[in-house]
Amino acid sequence: MTTRRDFIYKTILTSAATVAAPATVFASGSGVTSPLKKNVLREKFKPKMNFGMGGVGAGNGFHVNSDEEIRETMEAAWNNGVRHFDTSPWYGLGISERRMGSFLFNKNREDYLLSSKIGRILKPAPDFDKNPGIWKGKLNFDYEYDYSAEGVRKSVEDSLHRMGISSLDIVYIHDLSPDNGHMKEDWVKYFEVAQKGAMPELTRMREEGLIKGWGLGVNTIEPILKAIEVSDPDIFLSATQYSLMEHEDALNRLFPVCEKENISLVIGAPLNAGFLAGKDRYNYSEGIPDGFLEKREKMNNIAQNHNVDLRSAALQFSAAPEVVASVIPGASKPHQSSANAKSMSETIPADFWKELKSENLIEQNAPEPQAS
């Protein structure tokens, strides 16, 4: 008997086939498909757009934004050439997906790249306000963690319905990480569920043509390295780990492994949630690590001496390594998304980077953006 969900996914498959990469079947020794077995010969998906827009602001991250304001912010990004958009059910508990989907609904699906995430299933809860974190305003949904195979299918289907879009290009397994305050040291237990459920199911969805690629979207390095060991991902969204402020660990531990496996990275929070654009908050907390205000001030002084905008330098720095496919800063105002996009074409003199290295403000082996 064909269920409603089966029918929906057959419809999605037909739509997605026009934009999805050709499928490659993983054959085990017995001839049975083995979703977790690595296929070293297949070409892993890599976005062609090296710059995008993150969806935290569209989900009322840090402060409330109107629907119209977010639409204008996305319009400004689109008008400046941005075609890579990332969102998540977690961002505002559905608000970000609804707003981004509304903007993209009338765009040609072939013209943009869209990613969302799995790991939390939303459920109606009027006036929900329990542990909203950085999400502000009215929240009408609660959530539960679900990294099972069935949870993956339901989460993707729910996301497509919220957005009104026929397909996703990339799906990230979200917040499966020790920095997740609900998991902490138990993140490994959740990872084991995902290893048996979400990871093979996303591989099947890739082979079915429903998505082009999958990986993890996390704020730490360990889960990415572990996922590479036990599965066959395409791409990772690594947030907060490679910026002007902090990058040593990613540069020396994460990048070499990804390069060896031909896996690309999307860099999230390249401005450390606005810190490198002048906001007095760091990443997803108002607490700023010791010494970081002083470090930012030193960088700003050097930037001013070279007539450089520090925000532009930060975005270009995060995009410079070859292993990085794209950077996706967030924005909640039209002028922010316009400025972010234009920053990628600004010329930054080589002497600026040399001075940062001479002052030990960035790592000596950090790739330097090439002046255009």
Side-chain angles (χ1 to χ4, degrees), residues 307-319:
N307 196 27
V308 168
D309 175 22
L310 188 63
R311 185 199 64 253
S312 297
L315 293 176
Q316 291 192 29
F317 176 83
S318 291

Side-chain angles (χ1 to χ4, degrees), residues 90-305:
W90 175 234
Y91 299 163
L93 296 175
I95 297 171
S96 178
E97 286 188 324
R98 292 199 299 274
R99 287 171 166 174
M100 283 195 155
S102 176
F103 174 80
L104 294 170
F105 181 78
N106 288 316
K107 305 295 185 185
N108 291 329
R109 184 62 187 88
E110 297 80 10
D111 290 345
Y112 62 88
L113 180 119
L114 180 62
S115 59
S116 193
K117 304 177 180 73
I118 64 93
R120 293 179 178 91
I121 301 294
L122 303 188
K123 51 186 180 180
D127 300 317
F128 172 74
D129 63 0
K130 180 182 66 178
N131 187 34
I134 66 172
W135 314 120
K136 306 304 179 183
K138 187 177 179 64
L139 301 171
N140 279 334
F141 289 86
D142 196 350
Y143 65 92
E144 58 185 19
Y145 289 106
D146 191 338
Y147 294 99
S148 68
E150 183 180 15
V152 166
R153 295 275 177 169
K154 176 170 174 50
S155 183
V156 170
E157 180 182 327
D158 287 352
S159 290
L160 294 175
H161 281 300
R162 274 190 293 271
M163 290 188 284
I165 305 295
S166 63
S167 64
L168 293 171
D169 296 297
I170 304 171
V171 174
Y172 297 113
I173 302 173
H174 202 193
D175 283 344
L176 193 55
S177 175
D179 73 307
N180 185 329
H182 298 119
M183 297 180 184
K184 298 181 180 178
E185 65 273 6
D186 286 338
W187 75 272
V188 176
K189 297 178 181 178
Y190 287 91
F191 188 97
E192 290 172 354
V193 174
Q195 183 179 343
K196 297 175 182 178
M199 295 180 190
E201 195 66 16
L202 287 169
T203 299
R204 292 187 188 97
M205 292 175 70
R206 183 182 66 209
E207 301 310 321
E208 291 168 10
L210 295 175
I211 60 175
K212 294 180 180 178
W214 70 270
L216 270 60
V218 288
N219 304 326
T220 59
I221 290 174
E222 285 72 18
I224 295 178
L225 296 176
K226 189 173 180 65
I228 292 173
E229 288 179 2
V230 302
S231 62
D232 190 40
D234 302 86
I235 186 169
F236 291 100
L237 171 50
S238 178
T240 75
Q241 297 300 297
Y242 194 77
S243 72
L244 277 177
M245 297 304 299
E246 291 185 283
H247 52 266
E248 180 181 2
D249 210 21
L251 184 63
N252 297 314
R253 278 211 302 141
L254 178 61
F255 287 7
V257 176
C258 290
E259 288 169 352
K260 180 181 177 182
E261 297 291 335
N262 193 30
I263 294 172
S264 56
L265 294 166
V266 172
I267 301 300
L271 300 176
N272 298 113
F275 182 75
L276 286 165
K279 302 285 187 183
D280 284 335
R281 63 170 183 249
Y282 191 77
N283 293 341
Y284 309 115
S285 169
E286 293 183 358
I288 299 173
D290 291 343
F292 276 31
L293 287 171
E294 294 80 3
K295 183 177 181 178
R296 184 179 67 179
E297 184 178 5
K298 290 179 181 178
M299 288 183 171
N300 260 320
N301 291 336
I302 293 173
Q304 290 174 9
N305 291 337

